[in-house]
Amino acid sequence: MIEQRINETFGDTDPSGFGTGWWSGVLSTFFGLLALGGVICFHFPQLLSSPEFRHYYPMPLMRVLLKGAIVTAMIFE
């Protein structure tokens, strides 16, 4: 069922089940894009975050989460 929907959506006939590497690629891409968004938010906080909420963000924790997203993307690669 899921494989049929994936084939219809993406137009490929390669297997996408567990153990084929497809899910690993999807998760790696997801965490990579998530990390890229985090890095952009760190570089441009004046554009991508609210000034009144910035003091509520625990920056050491945010940096650890960003590093975790980058490492997770690399692991799934």
Side-chain angles (χ1 to χ4, degrees):
M1 174 88 180
I2 292 175
E3 186 125 2
Q4 182 181 2
R5 286 192 177 215
I6 292 170
N7 289 341
E8 290 171 2
T9 303
F10 295 110
D12 63 353
T13 58
D14 293 335
S16 58
F18 186 74
T20 61
W22 191 86
W23 286 105
S24 175
V26 168
L27 289 173
S28 178
T29 302
F30 171 74
F31 282 110
L33 290 174
L34 187 70
L36 177 65
V39 168
I40 291 172
C41 284
F42 274 125
H43 280 288
F44 303 107
Q46 67 278 9
L47 298 174
L48 300 171
S49 65
S50 299
E52 60 269 5
F53 293 125
R54 277 189 215 139
H55 65 276
Y56 290 118
Y57 302 149
M59 290 317 269
L61 177 63
M62 293 296 136
R63 287 190 174 97
V64 168
L65 290 174
L66 179 61
K67 289 175 187 176
I70 293 170
V71 169
T72 303
M74 287 185 190
I75 288 173
F76 279 120
E77 185 178 346

